[in-house]
Amino acid sequence: MFGFLLSFIPRAVSQGIPLMFGAVGETITEKSGNLNLGTAGIMYVGGICGVIGSFLYETRTGIENMNAFLGILIPLVCCLLGSLIMGLIYCFLTVTLRANQNVTGLAMTTFGVGFGNFFGGSLIKLSGADVPSIALSRTSQFFSAKLPFAKDLGWFGQIFLSYSFLAYTAVAMAIIASVVIFHTKLGLQLRAVGESPSTADAAGINVTRYKYFATCIGAMVSGLGGLYYVMDYASGVWSNDAFGDRGWLAIALVIFTIWRPAHSIWASILFGGLYILHIFIPSGTNLAIKELYQMAPYVVTIIVLIFTSLRNKRENQPPASLGLSYFREDR
Amino acid sequence: MDKQSPILELKHITKRFGNITANEDVSLEVYQGEILALLGENGSGKTTLMNAIAGIYYPEEGQIFVNGKEVSINSPKDAYDLGIGMIHQHFKLIDVLSAAENIVLGLKDKRRYDLKAAGAKIREICDKYGFDVDPNQKIYNMSVSQKQTVEIVKVLFRGADILILDEPTAVLTPQETEKLFNVLRNMKQDGKSIIIITHKLNEVLEISDRVAILRKGRYICDIKTSEADTQQLTDAMVGHAVTLNIERKVPVDPKDKIIVKNLTVRDSDGVEKLKNINFTARTGEILGIAGISGNGQKELLESIAGLQKIETGSILFVNEDGTEEELVGMDPKKITDMGITLSFVPEDRLGMGLVGNMDLADNMMLRSFRHGHGLFTDRKAPYELAEQVVKELEVNTPSIRTAVRKLSGGNVQKVLVGREIAAAPTVLMTAYAVRGLDINSSYIIYDLVNKQKARGVAVIYVGEDLDVLLELCDRILVLCDGQVSGELDGREADKQQVGLMMTRLGGAEHE
C-alpha cells in the first residue's frame, strides 16, 4: 500500500499542477465577475507559445550551446505574453464592448485550441519529425530540473521534493492569490467588483481597471499551466490535442474549491489523482470502464455543487455578478 | 440662511438618455445645515438629478458648483472627494461582506488595511449621531433598516458634508422612520446638508426646511416648509389641482368570499412563515394587510393564489350560491378551471407579474394565451386591451409595442394592475400596489381598487403606508412574524396602534 502511494502521489501531483495553475488563474478572473470559459483555450495558447519560443531558441542556437537561464526565460516570457494577449482580447470583448461572457469564453477556447493545433502542426512539419509530435527535450530538462538532494531523503523527498520549480510556483501562486483576495484591501476591492460592480463603482473603485487586471493576471497564471504541461509533465513533447480536457477540469476545480485559491492546492492534486486513477486499474479488468474513472472529477464537482447549493451559505456562492457585464448608466 | 452662500449649486443641468430627456435646465441651491426635500412624481427626474451630483451620471449640459467653485463630477469618487455622498434607494452594499468591509470599500488612504481601526472609527460616528451598527455583522444578516444605517455611516465615514437620501423611508416602519429622522436632525445640528427624496408629503412637512419641486424633469419652484401645506405641494408637483381624499364608502351587503382557517406555511428551510392564520375576506370590502415587509404577507397572498405549498389549514372560496370550495392543493390553472377569477398583483412586478422584455400587448396575453382557435392564439384582443389600459390609466409609454422593462416603475405597475382588473375578478389581491409610485399614480390606483370594491369584489390590499391603509381599508389585519397580531376596524384604528402591532404580537407595550 505504501509503495502504491509512493508512486501514485507524485504522479497525481504532477497531473494536478496544470489544473492548479488553471484553477488559480480562473479564480482570480472570476473574483472580478468575469466568467472566462476561455481558460481551456488560454492554457493551450500558453503551452504552444512556450513551445514556439523554445523551438526557435533550440533550433537557432543548437542543443549544445543552450543557456539554462535563457532556455527557461524565453519559453516563459512567450507563454506569459501569449496568455496575456488572450486575456486582453477577452477583456476587450466583454468589458469594453460588453459582449456576452459565455459566448466570448467559448469562442476563445475554440480559438485557443485551433491556434495551438495550427502552430503545433506547423512546427511538427518544420522539424521534419516522423511522428506527429515535436520533442524539446533539452528545454524540458531545464524545466524539469529537481532539487538535487531530493533523492537522498527517501519517501519524504519523493512525495514533497521531487518536483520542478514550476510546481512550487503553482503552490506559491495559490497561497499568494488567497492572501491577496481575502486579506488585503486590493482583494476586498476585487471581491466587491465581482459581487456588485455598481456598488464598487459607487464606492469609487475603477471597475474596468480591476476587471482588466484580474482577468489578464488570471490568464497569465492559467497559461503557465499549459507551459508546465508541455515542458515538464509531457517532457517537452508537444502533440496536437494532447492537453485534452484539462482546461475544463480547471474550471470545474474553481467551483469545487468554492472560489478559494488556497483550497485548489489539495483539490487539484485530488483531481489529478482521480484523473489518472484508470492507470491503476488492476490489469485484467475491462478497459472500457476507463472512461468511467476519468469521469470521476466531474462527478465530484457535481456533488460539491449539490452540497454547496443545499447548504446555501452565502460565503460559498459564486461572485454575485459573475458572468454579467457592467455599464454604469444602464437603467 | 438667505444671505449665506450655497454649499452646492446646480446651474442649468440637462441630462438625456437617448432621446428621453430626464432633466432639463434644472437649477438648484443647497445651503449648509439645511434639510432640503426634493419632491416630484415618478419619472420627474429626481433620482437622475441626484445621480448627476453623486457622479453616477454625467449631465450633458450645465454646471455644478461646490462652495462657489465650479466642479466636474465624473465618478462617485469625485463626489466623495467633494464631500458629497448618496444613499441610493437600492442599497449599494455587498451582501457577503461585513459592515466594516463595506464601509472602508474603495477608500484610497495610504494607511494599512486595518479593519479594527475602521471599526473603532465607525463606533465613534455611531456614538456621535446615535446609530447602532455592529461593524462585524454581515450585510445579508441585516434588516433593511440596519442596511440603511450602514449606508449612512459609510457616507459619513468618508467625511461627507452633503448627504443625499433617495426615498429612505420607503422600506421603514413608522418607528424606524422616526429614528432615522432623529439622526438626520442630529446631522443637521452638526452642520451637514441633507437632500432627501421622498413621495410622502407628511414626511416632507415633518423633516425638511425647504422643499424643491420637480415636474417632468424641470425645476418648478422651491417653498419654505414652514409656509407649505399638503395641497399646495401636491398641486405644484402634479401641475394641476388634485383631490387628495380617498373615498371610503360603507361596504354594500358584504358576504364572506374567502375564509382562511388555521393556515400554516413553511419555507424550504422549514421555517414557519405563517402560523395559524385565520381571517375572512368579504365581498365589497377592502381588507388591508399591514406589517413590516417579510412578515408573511407574500406567503399569505401566494397561498390563496395557489402558488404556495401549504402545511396545514384550509382556504375556502364561497360561491354565489353559498357552497364552499377548498383552494388548498390547487394550482393557478386548476383555480381558473373551477371558474374562480382571482387577480393577483404580486410584489415582484417584473419577476412574477410581467415579462420585462415583452411588450405591453404580449404581457396582456399572459392572462389570455389559452384563448383563441386551434394552434394560434388570439393576438388582437390583448392588443386592444393594452390600448384600453394605456388610455384609461394614463400609462406613459412610447407605444403598445414597447418592452415593459423600459417603462418607469409607476407605469409598469399600471400595466399590471390594469391587466388584472380587466379580468373582472371576484377576488383582487394586491401587494404593495403603490410602492415607488408618485402621488398622482397612487391615487389612480386607489381609485381603481375602490371601483372594484364597488363592483362587489373582495379586495385584499397589502400595503406599507399606514396613512393610506387607515384611509382606504374597511378592515385591517396586522401581521407580525407570520401571525395575526390583530384585526382592526379601518375607521377606528389609529396609526400608533397599528405600528405597535406590527412590531409586537398584539401590540403590547412590553414583552
Side-chain angles (χ1 to χ4, degrees), chain A residues 18 127 147 212 230 250 262 296:
Chain A
S127 68
L147 291 170
Y212 261 88
V230 192

Side-chain angles (χ1 to χ4, degrees), chain A residues 182-206 209-210 310-318 326 328-331, chain B residues 15-17 20 22 48 55-58 74-77 80 88 91-97 101-102 104-113 115 138 140 154 158 269:
Chain A
F182 294 106
H183 298 284
T184 66
K185 195 190 274 181
L186 199 71
L188 177 70
Q189 301 189 350
L190 176 65
R191 279 185 289 154
V193 169
E195 289 292 336
S196 165
S198 65
T199 304
D201 195 14
I205 297 168
N206 189 331
R209 187 188 296 164
Y210 269 83
L310 271 183
R311 286 190 57 207
N312 206 14
K313 201 170 163 230
R314 295 297 291 267
E315 282 86 351
N316 293 347
Q317 300 305 312
Y326 173 65
R328 184 188 285 168
E329 298 209 356
D330 212 6
R331 296 246 281 180
Chain B
K15 172 71 198 170
R16 296 187 192 91
F17 294 99
I20 300 165
T48 308
I56 303 280
Y57 299 148
Y58 193 77
N74 289 310
S75 72
K77 192 184 165 295
Y80 279 129
H88 296 267
F91 300 136
K92 304 239 172 194
L93 294 172
I94 291 165
D95 279 351
V96 294
L97 301 183
E101 284 175 318
N102 265 291
V104 300
L105 190 65
L107 282 177
K108 293 230 168 51
D109 53 3
K110 292 276 172 278
R111 274 172 294 147
R112 216 164 57 84
Y113 176 62
L115 282 178
K138 291 277 168 77
Y140 63 80
K154 183 164 109 184
R158 280 143 216 261
D269 294 333

Side-chain angles (χ1 to χ4, degrees), chain A residues 218-237:
Chain A
M220 290 197 287
V221 174
S222 303
L224 287 177
L227 186 69
Y228 174 89
Y229 172 78
V230 192
M231 293 306 176
D232 191 339
Y233 180 81
S235 316
V237 177

Side-chain angles (χ1 to χ4, degrees), chain B residues 374-446:
Chain B
L375 201 56
F376 299 100
T377 49
D378 180 5
R379 293 187 66 89
K380 204 173 153 215
Y383 192 88
E384 284 165 356
L385 176 59
E387 276 181 329
Q388 186 194 335
V389 168
V390 167
K391 205 170 124 222
E392 279 177 17
L393 305 190
E394 301 168 29
V395 179
N396 190 1
T397 172
S399 84
I400 304 292
R401 290 287 172 215
T402 305
V404 169
R405 172 176 56 88
K406 291 188 178 155
L407 304 182
S408 78
N411 288 314
V412 169
Q413 186 70 340
K414 285 183 194 168
V415 172
L416 178 55
V417 173
R419 183 188 78 194
E420 290 303 313
I421 286 175
T426 43
V427 179
L428 172 65
M429 298 186 283
T430 67
Y432 308 110
V434 299
R435 179 179 276 179
L437 262 59
D438 60 66
I439 208 158
N440 203 23
S441 313
S442 300
Y443 276 80
I444 293 178
I445 302 281
Y446 302 147

Side-chain angles (χ1 to χ4, degrees), chain B residues 148-196:
Chain B
Q148 186 178 58
T149 315
V150 174
E151 280 278 24
I152 298 174
V153 174
K154 183 164 109 184
V155 167
L156 292 172
F157 194 92
R158 280 143 216 261
D161 293 316
I162 304 167
L163 282 90
I164 304 166
L165 293 101
D166 192 355
E167 298 201 29
T169 60
V171 287
L172 302 182
T173 62
Q175 283 81 3
E176 286 169 336
T177 303
E178 202 39 57
K179 219 165 124 190
L180 173 72
F181 283 178
N182 283 332
V183 169
L184 293 185
R185 287 190 195 103
N186 284 343
M187 293 198 280
K188 179 179 137 185
Q189 291 294 320
D190 199 40
K192 311 246 182 233
S193 307
I194 295 159
I195 307 175
I196 176 167

